């Protein structure tokens, strides 16, 4: 019917008398379940974000190099069936008199990046370097990085962090979208 699907998981823990150690195990298990829940609940919205980025590239495609546009479009289409999405976030480019930097769009995070703060971003990547001129001014339409921490969702591997630049109608950089996830086997 309309019931919710559930999986039953049995976990056996060796006998412990250390209450603090048992509490740590309990809290870590609950944290992993929260990460799984966030990734699963936001999976379809992350797929929608891929579609939104594809539409954005089509809209501004005339101001981008055709080779770069074709490569980015093909890769986004490929990701839809070959990437396990764990997180997503959108960034706007903010300019000041001395520098420009990417700043997260409030409420744009999905999955593991749903309510991501500086500590969360540092867990996945060196956010300070990623959001400054050094990264922002790279001419590449797509950027790739590995996360700094192994995934606790799907499999224990270092997730990939993939960024796609966003542009205005004149071809000026206005921001970026980033996907966190694992390539499927």
């Amino acid at each position: 019917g309309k019931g919710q699907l559930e999986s039953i998981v049995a976990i056996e823990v060796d006998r412990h008398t250390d209450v603090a150690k048992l509490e740590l195990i309990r809290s870590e298990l609950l944290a992993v379940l929260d990460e799984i829940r966030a990734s699963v609940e936001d999976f379809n919205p992350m797929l929608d974000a891929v579609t939104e980025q594809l539409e954005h590239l089509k809209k501004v495609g005339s101001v981008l190099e055709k080779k770069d546009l074709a490569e980015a479009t093909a890769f986004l289409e490929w990701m839809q069936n070959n990437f396990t999405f764990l997180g997503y976030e959108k960034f706007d480019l903010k300019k000041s008199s001395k520098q420009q930097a990417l700043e997260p769009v409030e409420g744009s995070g999905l999955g593991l990046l749903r309510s991501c703060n500086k500590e969360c971003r540092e867990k996945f990547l060196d956010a300070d370097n990623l959001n400054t001129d050094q990264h922002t001014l790279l001419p590449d339409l797509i950027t790739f990085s590995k996360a700094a921490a192994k995934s606790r969702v799907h499999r224990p591997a270092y997730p990939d962090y993939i960024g796609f630049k966003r542009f205005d109608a004149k071809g000026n950089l206005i921001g970026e979208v980033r996907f966190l996830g694992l390539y499927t086997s």
Side-chain angles (χ1 to χ4, degrees), residues 103-133:
E103 293 183 9
V105 174
E106 186 74 30
S108 69
L110 297 171
L112 298 181
L113 305 176
R114 189 185 274 178
S115 41
C116 204
N117 56 22
K118 182 175 175 152
E119 180 182 304
C120 166
R121 284 185 197 87
E122 287 172 355
K123 175 180 176 183
F124 295 114
L125 210 57
D126 183 359
D128 289 336
N129 286 335
L130 194 61
N131 294 339
T132 58
D133 282 342

Side-chain angles (χ1 to χ4, degrees), residues 35-49:
E35 289 178 12
I36 293 168
R37 186 176 299 107
S39 297
V40 171
E41 286 176 354
D42 289 348
F43 189 82
N44 285 331
M46 287 186 269
L47 282 176
D48 293 343

Side-chain angles (χ1 to χ4, degrees), residues 52-107:
E52 185 179 307
Q53 183 63 14
L54 280 165
E55 290 170 2
H56 170 74
L57 290 177
K58 287 177 188 172
K59 186 174 151 184
V60 298
S62 62
V63 297
L64 302 175
E65 286 192 36
K66 290 195 184 325
K67 179 184 170 205
D68 291 344
L69 177 63
E71 182 180 60
T73 301
F75 187 69
L76 279 162
E77 289 170 348
W78 179 86
M79 280 176 64
Q80 290 174 317
N81 296 310
N82 297 283
F83 196 71
T84 301
F85 293 93
L86 301 177
Y88 165 85
E89 200 166 21
K90 188 175 189 176
F91 291 78
D92 283 337
L93 182 64
K94 302 292 182 185
K95 297 179 182 181
S96 68
S97 59
K98 294 185 179 186
Q99 71 172 14
Q100 54 187 358
L102 292 168
E103 293 183 9
V105 174
E106 186 74 30

